[in-house]
């Protein structure tokens, strides 16, 4: 890679994903020779440390897109050096970096004001303060993934509602401390939202769906899987909203045990609906799905129905059926 960097010094995009032997010396060479580099993928380059990001911040200040996912030796020091040197960043992917905390995000918020996409999936060290820093500095943010960041609370959502009103996509799967009040603040301000993943936000109720129905009129894709407090009434809010009838294409309701056929009745006017997920919604029946398809014939419905266990065989012989298998 040293020779490559020296000989190909006009390179603008470089993908080194899963190059396990890439080390800090590679980034040092890129810093010295590849001043035109705009896009760099270092996903799963596990030997990369903060020294690499310092070198990139010093020598590749034109970087616009950087992916350092699963480089688990990267810490706040490296993120700080990259943010200070590469203020033109508009995409930053930092998935699975547990040493990155609120201090690193403070630097991003201060120096990367052009940022439009930020992925912090499974950065378990970040908290509300870090998201507040992002909201204060990154007003152009359109995509944010904080799935698996379980320390976050409604404080983070309130901050995003105040500072990141251009958000189009928000992924918060597994953020199990978020509640209705946080999504109310978000929906009041983020009217451009098109895609939301709220899987395993286990504290939200139908009230959140009411807030989204009123505040996010462009919503196209919504995941509520494992949101076990959602009921048919919440789906009524969605189904009768302007955004659902005009824009909603995907609705995921896996493992929502309170959802029944009545919820499907509320969706019959959602003419753009292409796919609905209903795995382990045990109150939903085949008849309910048939009625939905009568109104939306092209919809893809993903559901599972366990085979009914037949009565024991007459005469006490060995039972030929079990709950999960048709015949043995």
């Amino acid at each position: 890679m040293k020779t490559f960097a020296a000989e190909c010094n006009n390179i603008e995009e470089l993908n080194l994903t899963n190059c396990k032997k890439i080390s800090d010396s590679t980034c040092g060479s890129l810093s010295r020779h590849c001043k035109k580099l705009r896009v760099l993928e270092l996903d799963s380059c596990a030997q990369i440390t903060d020294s690499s990001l310092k070198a990139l911040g010093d020598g590749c200040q034109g970087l616009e897109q950087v992916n350092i996912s699963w480089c688990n030796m990267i810490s706040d020091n490296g993120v700080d050096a990259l943010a200070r040197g590469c203020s033109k960043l508009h995409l930053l992917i930092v998935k699975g970096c547990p040493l990155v905390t609120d201090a690193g995000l403070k630097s991003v918020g201060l120096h990367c004001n052009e940022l439009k996409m930020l992925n912090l999936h499974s950065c378990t060290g970040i908290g509300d303060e870090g998201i507040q820093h992002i909201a204060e500095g990154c007003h152009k943010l359109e995509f944010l993934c904080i799935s698996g960041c379980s320390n976050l609370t409604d404080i983070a959502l309130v901050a995003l509602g105040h500072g990141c009103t251009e958000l189009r996509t928000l992924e918060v799967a597994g953020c199990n401390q978020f509640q209705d009040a946080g999504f109310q603040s978000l929906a009041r301000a983020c009217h451009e939202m098109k895609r939301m993943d709220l899987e395993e936000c286990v504290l939200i109720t139908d009230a959140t769906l009411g807030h989204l129905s009123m505040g996010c009129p462009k919503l196209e894709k919504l995941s509520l899987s494992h949101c076990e407090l959602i009921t048919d009434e919440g789906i009524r809010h969605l189904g009768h909203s302007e955004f659902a009838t005009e824009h909603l294409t995907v609705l995921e309701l896996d493992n929502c045990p309170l959802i029944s056929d009545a919820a499907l009745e509320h969706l019959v006017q959602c003419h753009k609906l292409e796919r609905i997920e209903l795995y382990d919604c045990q109150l939903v029946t085949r008849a309910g799905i048939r009625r939905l398809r009568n109104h939306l014939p092209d919809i893809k419905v993903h559901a599972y129905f366990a085979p009914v266990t037949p009565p024991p065989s007459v005469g006490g012989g060995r039972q030929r059926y079990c709950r999960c298998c048709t015949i043995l």
Side-chain angles (χ1 to χ4, degrees), residues 6-292:
E7 297 295 329
C8 302
N9 51 21
N10 287 322
I11 193 165
E12 295 183 9
E13 300 185 15
L14 182 60
N15 190 336
L16 297 173
T17 298
N18 284 317
C19 293
K20 304 295 185 183
K21 295 185 179 181
I22 293 296
S23 66
D24 292 333
S25 63
T26 296
C27 291
S29 297
L30 294 174
S31 173
R32 288 189 296 273
H33 302 291
C34 301
K35 304 297 184 180
K36 297 182 181 180
L37 197 62
R38 295 185 302 104
V39 179
L40 181 59
E41 297 275 347
L42 295 171
D43 187 350
S44 301
C45 297
Q47 295 187 43
I48 293 296
T49 74
D50 291 338
S51 297
S52 287
L53 298 194
K54 186 179 187 307
L56 293 171
D58 290 339
C60 299
Q61 296 185 350
L63 277 168
E64 298 174 2
Q65 301 181 32
V66 174
N67 184 349
I68 51 172
S69 297
W70 313 110
C71 297
N72 54 20
M73 289 194 287
I74 296 294
S75 75
D76 292 330
N77 292 331
V79 172
D80 176 66
L82 183 71
R84 288 177 182 272
C86 302
S87 59
K88 296 180 182 179
L89 278 176
H90 62 76
L91 181 149
L92 181 59
I93 306 178
V94 198
K95 294 187 293 184
C97 293
L99 301 182
V100 174
T101 72
D102 295 344
L105 297 189
K106 181 178 182 179
S107 295
V108 174
L110 284 173
H111 302 290
C112 300
N113 306 129
E114 300 299 314
L115 200 65
K116 291 187 176 181
M117 301 182 68
L118 178 61
N119 194 327
L120 300 168
H121 192 297
S122 299
C123 288
T124 53
I126 69 170
D128 293 329
E129 186 178 343
I131 301 303
Q132 286 176 311
H133 291 309
I134 295 298
E136 289 168 2
C138 302
H139 300 304
K140 297 181 181 180
L141 201 65
E142 296 180 3
F143 174 101
L144 177 63
C145 176
I146 44 178
S147 294
C149 300
S150 56
N151 294 326
L152 298 177
T153 72
D154 282 353
I155 293 172
L157 294 180
V158 171
L160 291 172
H162 287 156
C164 297
T165 57
E166 297 299 312
L167 275 173
R168 266 77 165 168
T169 298
L170 180 64
E171 299 180 358
V172 296
C175 294
N176 53 24
Q177 297 189 61
F178 287 166
Q179 300 185 49
D180 297 327
F183 287 106
Q184 180 180 26
S185 295
L186 192 77
R188 282 175 176 168
C190 297
H191 306 308
E192 300 298 318
M193 196 74 72
K194 292 186 175 182
R195 183 178 182 274
M196 298 186 75
D197 182 356
L198 311 186
E199 181 174 349
E200 292 185 342
C201 291
V202 295
L203 299 181
I204 65 172
T205 71
D206 295 337
T208 286
L209 301 191
H211 301 320
L212 298 182
S213 298
M214 292 185 290
C216 301
K218 299 180 181 180
L219 203 57
E220 298 175 0
K221 298 181 180 181
L222 178 62
S223 176
L224 298 166
S225 298
H226 295 272
C227 296
E228 298 184 356
L229 301 180
I230 297 298
T231 74
D232 297 337
E233 179 63 14
I235 304 305
R236 185 185 69 80
H237 286 305
L238 287 183
H240 294 178
S241 66
E242 181 179 350
F243 91 79
T245 56
E246 298 295 329
H247 300 290
L248 190 65
T249 60
V250 176
L251 181 60
E252 297 178 357
L253 296 169
D254 301 328
N255 293 95
C256 292
L258 303 180
I259 295 297
S260 73
D261 289 348
L264 305 188
E265 295 286 347
H266 297 312
L267 296 173
V268 297
Q269 299 300 319
C270 300
H271 303 297
K272 297 288 184 69
L273 196 58
E274 299 173 359
R275 175 168 61 86
I276 186 169
E277 304 279 343
L278 296 167
Y279 291 112
D280 287 324
C281 294
Q282 298 183 15
L283 299 180
V284 173
T285 67
R286 288 184 173 87
I289 292 174
R290 281 196 298 271
R291 287 193 294 272
L292 179 64

